[in-house]
């Protein structure tokens, strides 16, 4: 049985856990804990180690989705989680401009971990205050060749689109040789 | 007796608060990495500041601020016998080139720039010598510390952000190939133009700051603005030796070897979900 891995990363409360939960065929193995600091007002629980989801392709291949903890004090986990990944998704809460700088920081760190394809998921596009993917591209100072995909992490089709865009990118790179 | 200590234990805000609340008179000297700043206070107010023992000279400050022309500076220099700042300022005022307020405003701005930069110092030694004042021929001002502390604290936060955004001043800048804004259509300040004029992959940000006599804070703020506007991007300086690859365990450096067929299977599966 061969296993491949995609990492879902992004700032605190960007929707990583929900993203994996929406697409995973198993109950997401989540290690969420009660928050004990200033973020408590935003969210009751957060991921302290990782979320873990699975999509079985066939009897010989399985895709694992790993979510990283969003708070920077757990960033020592990031390089461990990124080991051997096929690519990664950077989730951004499009309604929360105060997290954009953190998203850019995380993106830079992951790019340094491994030269693998990545996409940016502009999450929470269903909410009224969401920044458009193009505005997010400017805010995050992303080149025009970086894919910024509108996303609603609670919607399966939307999550599928993000993963497919990432896989198309992987395929494109393989075809280029 | 001098008050001595380290900024790691008693930061600049606390020091200013102390001087302000105790209405102290004296000289506060701060030193870090070969840099030295001395501030003079009278009755808890800032009256004079000097950085790296470098007297900028009032005429130089007024010229840089655009208050005096080069010819006017030369003329005042020629007429001044004692060469003190006080005398030069008096000549400039009496000849009608500028007002007393112009001189004080210019000095105040210069002193404040020196002081605000101190808010970015997280480490260093300080020493406060009571009752020491600048020489009598120096031009002094009187700046209330309450507002200075508020503004300094605001800049301190801004500084932390700028340092995260532009951590390395040894990077160079280049104009973006497809700027989101046409440079002709935007209004730039004089300082921004001064930076723009030196943008070239061969000049590091640090060099551009040095050419323009700008502090780390000033150059970071301008570069951050240009980056945010999408006019420029950071690049390694031309000719610089290639940075060693980051220390990443070998296992993390390469993506797993997968075949196109495998990726296609993943795509097909996700489409069917």
């Amino acid at each position: 049985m061969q296993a491949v891995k995609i990492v879902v990363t992004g700032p605190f409360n960007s929707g990583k856990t929900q993203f994996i939960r929406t697409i995973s065929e198993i109950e997401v193995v989540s290690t969420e804990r009660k928050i004990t600091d200033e973020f408590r007002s935003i969210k009751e629980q957060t991921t302290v180690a990782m979320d873990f989801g699975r999509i079985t392709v066939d009897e010989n291949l399985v895709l694992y989705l790993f979510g990283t903890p969003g708070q920077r004090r757990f960033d020592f986990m990031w390089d461990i989680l990124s080991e051997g990944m096929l690519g990664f998704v950077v989730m951004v809460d499009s309604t929360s401009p105060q997290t954009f700088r953190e998203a850019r920081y995380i993106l830079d760190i992951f790019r340094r971990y491994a030269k693998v394809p990545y996409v940016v998921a502009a999450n929470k596009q269903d909410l009224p205050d969401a920044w458009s993917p193009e505005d997010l591209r400017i805010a995050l100072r992303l080149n025009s060749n970086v894919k910024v995909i509108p996303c609603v992490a609670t919607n399966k089709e939307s999550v599928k689109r993000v993963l497919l865009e990432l896989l198309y990118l992987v395929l494109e790179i393989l075809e280029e040789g | 007796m001098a008050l001595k200590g380290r900024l790691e234990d008693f930061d600049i805000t606390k020091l200013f608060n102390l001087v302000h609340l105790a209405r102290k008179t004296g000289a506060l000297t701060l030193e870090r990495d070969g840099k030295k700043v001395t501030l003079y206070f009278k009755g808890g107010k800032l009256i004079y500041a000097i950085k790296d023992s470098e007297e900028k000279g009032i005429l130089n400050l007024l010229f840089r601020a655009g208050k005096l022309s080069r010819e006017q500076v030369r003329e005042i220099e020629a007429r001044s016998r004692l060469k003190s700042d006080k005398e030069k300022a008096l000549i400039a005022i009496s000849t009608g080139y500028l007002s007393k307020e112009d001189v004080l405003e210019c000095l105040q701005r210069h002193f404040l720039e020196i002081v605000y930069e101190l808010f970015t110092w997280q480490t260093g030694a300080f020493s406060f010598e009571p009752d020491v004042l600048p020489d009598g021929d120096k031009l002094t001002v009187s700046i209330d510390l309450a507002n200075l502390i508020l503004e300094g604290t605001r800049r301190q936060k801004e500084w932390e952000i700028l340092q995260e955004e532009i951590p390395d001043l040894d990077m160079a800048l280049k104009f973006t190939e497809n700027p989101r804004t046409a440079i002709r259509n935007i209004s730039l300040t004089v300082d921004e133009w001064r930076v723009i004029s030196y943008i070239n992959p061969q000049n590091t940000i640090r060099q551009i700051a040095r050419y323009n006599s700008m502090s780390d804070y000033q150059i970071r703020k301008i570069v951050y603005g240009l980056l945010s506007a999408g006019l420029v991007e950071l690049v390694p300086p031309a000719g610089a030796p290639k940075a060693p690859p980051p220390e990443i365990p070998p296992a993390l450096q390469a993506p797993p070897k997968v075949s196109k067929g495998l990726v296609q299977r993943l795509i097909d599966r996700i489409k069917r979900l």
Side-chain angles (χ1 to χ4, degrees):
Chain A
M1 166 81 75
Q2 186 173 0
V4 287
K5 174 168 87 175
I6 287 176
V7 168
V8 182
T9 187
F12 173 77
N13 202 35
S14 57
K16 302 177 290 293
T17 305
Q18 182 59 55
F19 183 93
I20 297 173
R21 193 165 280 161
T22 299
I23 198 83
S24 175
E25 65 191 17
I26 58 164
E27 193 60 36
V28 172
V29 181
S30 186
T31 46
E32 293 200 325
R33 293 286 180 271
K34 286 265 182 203
I35 293 174
T36 54
D37 59 19
E38 73 272 20
F39 292 115
R40 188 191 286 271
S41 59
I42 308 172
K43 200 182 172 196
E44 274 300 306
Q45 293 195 314
T46 194
T47 308
V48 293
M50 61 182 183
D51 291 321
F52 169 66
R54 189 183 73 197
I55 298 168
T56 305
V57 178
D58 52 39
E59 56 190 16
N60 299 317
L61 180 61
V62 63
L63 169 66
Y64 290 117
L65 297 169
F66 285 85
T68 64
Q71 289 170 280
R72 211 185 270 199
R73 62 195 161 110
F74 299 114
D75 61 5
F76 63 92
M77 290 293 296
W78 295 353
D79 63 340
I80 299 168
L81 289 173
S82 64
E83 186 170 340
M85 63 185 168
L86 190 62
F88 63 95
V89 176
V90 182
M91 298 289 292
V92 184
D93 177 349
S94 311
T95 66
S96 180
Q98 63 271 29
T99 65
F100 293 169
R101 198 155 48 86
E102 179 73 0
R104 177 74 216 194
Y105 169 80
I106 293 171
L107 173 58
D108 287 342
I109 293 283
F110 271 82
R111 276 167 55 188
R112 261 182 264 161
Y113 284 148
K115 289 198 183 319
V116 295
Y118 63 92
V119 294
V120 175
N123 193 26
K124 306 192 187 179
Q125 286 292 312
D126 54 332
L127 298 183
D129 295 334
W131 286 42
S132 72
E134 272 320 298
D135 287 346
L136 261 183
R137 178 190 300 285
I138 295 166
L140 295 175
R141 298 209 308 265
L142 300 170
N143 289 337
S144 54
N145 57 359
V146 176
K147 288 187 180 178
V148 184
I149 302 145
C151 177
V152 178
T154 49
N155 180 299
K156 196 171 183 176
E157 288 306 312
S158 180
V159 172
K160 277 168 64 178
R161 190 184 160 200
V162 172
L163 289 175
L164 285 170
E165 291 288 354
L166 178 62
L167 289 168
Y168 291 144
L169 211 55
V170 176
L171 197 58
E172 208 175 289
I173 290 167
L174 286 172
E175 279 169 355
E176 282 168 6
Chain B
M1 193 180 153
L3 281 170
K4 287 183 179 175
R6 295 205 55 87
L7 293 173
E8 293 90 316
D9 309 317
F10 201 75
D11 65 25
I12 196 73
T13 310
K14 287 183 189 143
L15 268 174
F16 284 153
N17 258 322
L18 176 73
V19 172
H20 173 59
L21 296 174
R23 296 171 188 267
K24 285 187 177 293
T25 295
L28 174 66
T29 301
L30 300 113
E31 291 180 85
R32 188 191 70 160
D33 301 334
K35 289 182 183 170
K36 182 178 171 185
V37 169
T38 304
L39 309 174
Y40 294 89
F41 299 92
K42 192 172 181 182
K45 291 186 192 296
L46 178 75
I47 59 165
Y48 194 80
I50 180 167
K51 187 179 167 189
D52 297 330
S53 310
E54 224 178 59
E55 294 282 3
K56 288 275 182 199
I58 187 65
L59 295 184
N60 185 24
L61 291 176
L62 290 166
F63 169 67
R64 288 185 63 87
K67 302 278 183 194
L68 289 177
S69 68
R70 202 176 288 278
E71 291 69 36
Q72 288 170 333
V73 169
R74 277 200 209 101
E75 187 194 324
I76 297 166
E77 289 279 12
R79 286 175 59 185
S80 158
R81 287 174 291 112
L82 298 173
K83 308 282 183 197
S84 79
D85 271 357
K86 220 174 229 179
E87 188 198 21
K88 288 171 187 169
L90 280 173
I91 294 171
I93 295 165
S94 63
T95 45
Y97 290 149
L98 37 71
S99 65
K100 184 182 168 191
E101 286 70 34
D102 287 331
V103 176
L104 292 178
E105 189 196 320
C106 188
L107 266 181
Q108 189 158 319
R109 196 176 310 136
H110 172 61
F111 294 158
L112 285 175
E113 275 312 317
I114 293 176
V115 172
Y116 288 143
E117 203 183 331
L118 291 173
F119 282 88
T120 66
W121 289 22
Q122 312 291 329
T123 59
F126 69 81
S127 159
F128 185 86
E129 287 286 343
D131 303 321
V132 175
L133 289 172
D135 295 341
D137 62 344
K138 299 281 187 266
L139 279 167
T140 58
V141 294
S142 181
I143 301 172
D144 191 83
L145 289 190
N147 286 331
L148 186 151
I149 292 167
L150 279 176
E151 173 65 12
T153 310
R154 190 186 65 73
R155 287 191 182 211
Q156 195 173 21
K157 287 186 186 132
E158 204 175 62
W159 170 255
E160 284 162 12
I161 294 171
L162 290 171
Q163 257 193 323
E164 267 187 48
E165 294 286 347
I166 309 160
D168 186 2
L169 290 184
D170 290 318
M171 290 292 278
L173 296 167
K174 82 174 184 72
F175 290 106
T176 46
E177 278 162 27
N178 299 305
R180 292 189 293 272
T181 321
I183 199 159
R184 281 186 211 143
N185 299 336
I186 60 167
S187 305
L188 295 173
T189 63
V190 174
D191 281 343
E192 284 164 342
W193 274 116
R194 281 164 61 201
V195 170
I196 290 259
S197 64
Y198 284 103
I199 287 181
N200 176 325
Q202 293 188 332
N203 295 335
T204 65
I205 300 172
R206 197 182 301 284
Q207 286 170 321
I208 297 174
R210 206 176 303 138
Y211 295 144
N212 288 306
S213 305
M214 287 176 178
S215 66
D216 285 3
Y217 172 81
Q218 286 171 303
I219 190 77
R220 275 195 163 94
K221 198 170 174 181
I222 290 172
V223 170
Y224 178 60
L226 298 173
L227 283 169
S228 303
L231 292 172
V232 298
E233 55 190 83
L234 291 166
V235 289
K242 281 198 174 169
E247 285 187 26
I248 297 170
L252 298 185
Q253 288 180 358
K257 285 194 174 70
V258 292
S259 65
K260 282 189 277 182
L262 181 145
V263 179
Q264 194 58 59
R265 279 156 69 199
L266 289 170
I267 291 171
D268 293 342
R269 174 70 181 110
I270 289 172
K271 278 183 180 170
R272 288 199 310 272
L273 282 171

